[in-house]
Amino acid sequence: MFVRWTTAGDDPRLLRLFPATFTVAVAATAVDGVPVLVTTSDDVVEEDDAETVLQIWHAGTGELLREVPGVGGDSLVVTELDRRPVAVTCGWSDTPWLVDLLTGSATPLPGAGDVVQGLAIAGLEGGPALVTADLRGQVRVVDLAARETVRVLDAGGDRLNAVAVLSWDGHLAAFGAGDALHAWDLHTGSPIATPPISGRACALATWPDVPDRLAVLGMDGSVEIAGRAVLGVPWRRWATHLAGLVTPDGRRLLAIADDEAVTLWDVEADRAAGPVLAGPTGWADVRPGEPGEVITASPEDRAVAVWAAGADLPPIGHGATSTITALTLSPDGRVIAGASDGTVAAWSLADGSFLSAEDGAVHGPVRAVATVEVDGRIEVLAGGGDVNGSPDDVLHRLPLSDGVVDGVIADQGGEIRVIAMLGTTAYTAGCDRTIARIDLVTGTRTSVIPGDNHASGIAIRGGRAAVSRFPGPFQLWDLAADRPIPTGAVDSAEFGERVVGWCGDGRVVVALDDQARVRDLSTGETTALDEGGDGRITAIASSDTLVAIARADCSLSVVDPSSGDETEALTLAYPATALAWTQEGDLIAGVRRDLVRWGLSNPAG
């Protein structure tokens, strides 16, 4: 396979990349005068229940300098104790561990009242102290030299998610965050008045050189400066980590990490400081590094990256604004992609140039896209939403040129997950048992193809619809006569099997979580595809002659469905998230935010 075009661009802010490291937390410090990165893993999220480990990496070369097995977790801080560099780490536990970074020796510290949710370091008169926040609503102060608890501060039962230490109103204060902010004077233990916050907090950030400034990340993705103002940061539903940064020219930034990227926000200007950091940044921990640098550690991408912060660059590449979740091709030569932020956009199929976009076309992640020609105009159809956050029962109709056309309410239990086309009629499925038939000329909707479970896949050919339902059964339906067609696949289909598409008049491609097959509708017999594949299927697309399969292990394979033989294979930087075949036999892939068009080295036919 060879690349015809891609929307990706190289980000000049990526300074160093340390691949193949499984990390949930990272911190920068120095050991014997050598700048290092300290990383930790966590057996709660590590594959195969592997042992937790703390690792020390040379910050310049990426060389692994030391491993400390048996300690780790997603809470990590570094400091100096008796002029020696140390780290404190804690996972899903009530017991933090103190690690000497010179020797690797690890010592348990006094336990918290419940599972620790955050760590911070406070400089007290007797030396550094560890400050923890836990799910019981306690903030505990531990003298690191003596390994003894100094005091326990109580938030009145508010389950705390984060902790920070900063100067506040003339006090050295410990802040705990949950449904509200709580603060105490660390010298006296007395409560300190705190400003209200707009919602439950999940993370805190400070700037060491700025007293009385605390950034609060809400569970809903909102960001505010406590006691000052809510920032205009674009809403990120899955934002999880927050860090305060200072650029070389003195600007103060917030690094806000979500499930796929890191937003850099200029606090004073209340605007983005350049494009988002995208790449090895899925679910990343984010920390300040050297002045003007930010460090990300992604357990999903198994990578630690060091980035230059604060460079006001133009957008990098011309891909989507978030992860591509659905793909289709239009008859007028466009690639249509739906994304996780609800945006639907178009690129030229010929050269990959960006054409247009409808921001927030869907009220949540786009699950399915299709095209239709009505009255000489080509429209894009989009469905999606989110049952738990922002339901959207509308089949959206987008011309992607002169504004949004009113959608049709499909009324399918929260979101549309599947769109299949037959002429100017759309067949849609969502969270309920209904398959809706929507006439796009008249805008009318009727219900067809009854069943006891929700439809997970619909493929239409020659007036017949192959329908999979979760957990079952399989259906073959005559759309004109509105009745079932007897098929041997009904009794042979397996639990969770999902229809992908037709690959001949009598066969369909089906997928399970980690397997792809061709099923003969007459006999029900199957041919396995990509038997050597290892890992969950992240995207799959079929034509009559080829099936493309992408997996979580970053593999992408092309298989001949008639024989089950693999004809092409390659390894991507990240798993592909959507696939589509062109009429010319090229493959279009959405790889996170970018599109790639591949030509095949061995095209079928």
Side-chain angles (χ1 to χ4, degrees):
M1 299 171 72
F2 60 95
V3 175
R4 294 194 189 276
W5 53 255
T6 178
T7 63
D10 294 329
D11 194 328
R13 297 171 297 176
L14 181 57
L15 304 178
R16 294 181 294 282
L17 180 65
F18 307 150
T21 59
F22 186 92
T23 58
V24 293
V26 63
T29 187
V31 176
D32 278 340
V34 176
V36 300
L37 300 180
V38 180
T39 64
T40 54
S41 69
D42 193 337
D43 59 6
V44 173
V45 295
E46 170 65 288
E47 294 177 356
D48 302 322
D49 294 325
E51 186 178 31
T52 57
V53 63
L54 179 145
Q55 296 175 308
I56 305 171
W57 308 82
H58 192 293
T61 66
E63 177 188 0
L64 179 61
L65 303 177
R66 181 183 296 279
E67 285 190 335
V68 184
V71 295
D74 58 3
S75 294
L76 171 68
V77 290
V78 292
T79 187
E80 282 195 354
L81 179 62
D82 297 329
R83 298 184 179 180
R84 298 174 69 86
V86 297
V88 181
T89 183
C90 191
W92 192 254
S93 164
D94 62 358
T95 304
W97 285 77
L98 176 67
V99 181
D100 187 316
L101 298 179
L102 285 171
T103 65
S105 62
T107 306
L109 294 172
D114 204 325
V115 174
V116 170
Q117 294 291 283
L119 305 175
I121 296 294
L124 301 181
E125 291 181 0
L130 176 70
V131 183
T132 68
D134 64 46
L135 288 179
R136 183 179 289 184
Q138 293 182 344
V139 170
R140 185 175 298 262
V141 184
V142 176
D143 185 315
L144 285 180
R147 276 63 156 180
E148 294 180 351
T149 298
V150 175
R151 58 174 50 90
V152 177
L153 311 167
D154 198 300
D158 188 0
R159 292 164 64 89
L160 301 178
N161 295 320
V163 66
V165 172
L166 71 155
S167 296
W168 184 268
D169 197 22
H171 304 269
L172 179 63
F175 274 77
D179 286 329
L181 285 179
H182 310 266
W184 302 265
D185 185 307
L186 278 170
H187 295 295
T188 65
S190 302
I192 299 172
T194 62
I197 54 177
S198 59
R200 183 163 180 78
C202 66
L204 301 174
T206 63
W207 294 263
D209 62 333
V210 185
D212 291 6
R213 180 169 290 183
L214 179 69
V216 183
L217 175 64
M219 287 289 192
D220 62 355
S222 63
V223 182
E224 57 190 296
I225 302 297
R228 294 175 183 261
V230 176
L231 301 179
V233 182
W235 180 68
R236 303 299 308 168
R237 181 179 177 216
W238 293 112
T240 54
H241 290 84
L242 198 65
L245 312 172
V246 180
T247 66
D249 59 3
R251 288 181 298 154
R252 290 171 183 84
L253 308 181
L254 271 175
I256 307 150
D258 57 53
D259 56 330
E260 61 181 51
V262 175
T263 299
L264 299 177
W265 198 260
D266 188 314
V267 173
E268 302 300 336
D270 199 16
R271 63 177 178 83
V276 298
L277 306 178
T281 50
W283 298 105
D285 184 24
V286 58
R287 303 289 181 96
E290 296 295 321
E293 293 183 354
V294 59
I295 306 165
T296 61
S298 169
E300 180 173 331
D301 299 318
R302 296 178 175 266
V304 173
V306 181
W307 310 76
D312 288 326
L313 300 173
I316 310 300
H318 54 281
T321 53
S322 63
T323 296
I324 294 169
T325 53
L327 278 177
T328 193
L329 304 178
S330 71
D332 57 352
R334 293 179 294 167
V335 180
I336 309 297
S340 60
D341 61 0
T343 297
V344 178
W347 290 260
S348 167
L349 177 59
D351 59 12
S353 57
F354 176 76
L355 298 176
S356 57
E358 291 288 348
D359 296 336
V362 176
H363 302 159
V366 178
R367 306 297 185 190
V369 288
T371 62
V372 64
E373 185 172 350
V374 179
D375 296 331
R377 179 179 60 188
I378 296 174
E379 295 181 5
V380 174
L381 309 177
D386 190 317
V387 158
N388 298 316
S390 50
D392 189 342
D393 276 323
V394 175
L395 177 64
H396 296 273
R397 302 173 66 173
L398 314 169
L400 287 176
S401 59
D402 57 358
V404 179
V405 174
D406 291 338
V408 179
I409 296 177
D411 191 22
Q412 293 188 298
E415 65 180 6
I416 293 174
R417 297 175 175 175
V418 180
I419 303 173
M421 298 301 302
L422 179 62
T424 57
T425 300
Y427 292 82
T428 66
C431 301
D432 61 358
R433 295 175 294 179
T434 303
I435 294 177
R437 177 172 58 199
I438 299 174
D439 186 326
L440 295 168
V441 175
T442 64
T444 57
R445 172 206 183 277
T446 56
S447 297
V448 294
I449 314 182
D452 294 331
N453 299 296
H454 77 261
S456 58
I458 306 170
I460 296 175
R461 172 172 290 186
R464 296 179 300 167
V467 179
S468 55
R469 293 183 180 270
F470 186 84
F474 179 89
Q475 294 174 293
L476 186 61
W477 200 264
D478 187 321
L479 295 174
D482 197 22
R483 63 187 180 191
I485 301 172
T487 170
V490 171
D491 296 328
S492 59
E494 294 190 21
F495 177 87
E497 199 173 82
R498 175 174 61 89
V499 167
V500 175
W502 293 80
C503 63
D505 289 339
R507 299 185 303 158
V508 291
V509 175
V510 297
L512 294 164
D513 181 63
D514 59 355
Q515 300 175 34
R517 303 168 179 167
V518 171
R519 185 171 292 282
D520 188 298
L521 297 182
S522 299
T523 65
E525 296 179 350
T526 61
T527 301
L529 304 177
D530 191 26
E531 287 188 286
D534 182 20
R536 176 177 55 86
I537 294 175
T538 58
I540 184 169
S542 67
S543 68
D544 275 347
T545 57
L546 294 171
V547 179
I549 306 167
R551 295 183 180 273
D553 62 5
C554 299
S555 66
L556 177 62
S557 59
V558 177
V559 183
D560 181 343
S562 63
S563 64
D565 294 336
E566 183 179 78
T567 63
E568 307 262 1
L570 61 104
T571 300
L572 308 175
Y574 308 106
T577 50
L579 297 169
W581 289 103
T582 72
Q583 289 186 342
E584 298 82 7
D586 283 358
L587 181 63
I588 306 291
V591 183
R592 296 246 172 127
R593 294 174 176 236
D594 289 305
L595 292 167
V596 185
R597 179 175 178 173
W598 276 291
L600 302 189
S601 305
N602 302 296

